[in-house]
């Protein structure tokens, strides 16, 4: 039911916060919500994906982290007109430029 409500708010482009008192519950809720978003084509499936990052909630990756992001899915919670990415876009990291990664 929580995943269904999350999907409803996501479709309406409304921000949603799901709070859970225990880590085990949080992991299960994240799994079910992610499966629901994949099922409805809002998030790419797990093929080749090793992780999921939300740009608004993640610090700028370090060199070690950035180099391991290939295949990860990144959600842009804000639009970037400079590089042409719309708000709430999901993109998969295909390559990392190791020379420019800080």
């Amino acid at each position: 039911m929580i995943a269904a409500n999350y999907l409803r708010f996501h479709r309406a482009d409304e921000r949603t916060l799901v709070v859970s008192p225990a880590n085990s519950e949080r992991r299960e809720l994240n799994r079910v919500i992610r499966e629901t978003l994949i099922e409805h084509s809002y998030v790419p499936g797990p093929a080749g994906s090793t992780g999921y990052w939300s740009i608004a909630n993640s610090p700028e990756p370090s060199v070690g982290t950035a180099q391991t992001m290939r295949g990860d899915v990144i959600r842009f919670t804000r639009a970037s007109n400079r590089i042409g990415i719309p708000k709430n876009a999901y993109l998969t990291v295909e390559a990392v430029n190791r020379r420019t990664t800080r």
Side-chain angles (χ1 to χ4, degrees):
M1 190 162 141
I2 292 171
N5 282 330
Y6 186 95
L7 177 64
R8 185 169 50 88
F9 286 112
H10 185 77
R11 284 181 171 155
D13 201 26
E14 294 184 27
R15 296 185 83 169
T16 306
L17 175 65
V18 177
V19 179
S20 172
N23 283 334
S24 60
E25 291 173 359
R26 176 189 52 80
R27 284 188 291 272
E28 180 64 12
L29 283 168
N30 284 339
R31 185 187 66 75
V32 173
I33 289 169
R34 180 164 172 77
E35 286 177 0
T36 301
L37 292 173
I38 290 169
E39 180 182 329
H40 293 273
S41 301
Y42 286 103
V43 177
S49 177
T50 59
Y52 174 79
W53 299 72
S54 178
I55 292 301
N57 300 325
S58 178
E60 187 172 321
S62 66
V63 172
T65 303
Q67 291 177 0
T68 62
M69 288 178 68
R70 189 164 189 252
D72 287 356
V73 175
I74 299 177
R75 177 175 180 235
F76 290 79
T77 56
R78 289 180 242 153
S80 174
N81 294 331
R82 184 176 62 84
I83 55 177
I85 298 173
K87 178 181 178 184
N88 292 322
Y90 290 89
L91 302 175
T92 301
V93 177
E94 293 183 5
V96 175
N97 185 336
R98 293 183 176 151
R99 287 186 289 174
T100 61
T101 305
R102 293 178 228 145

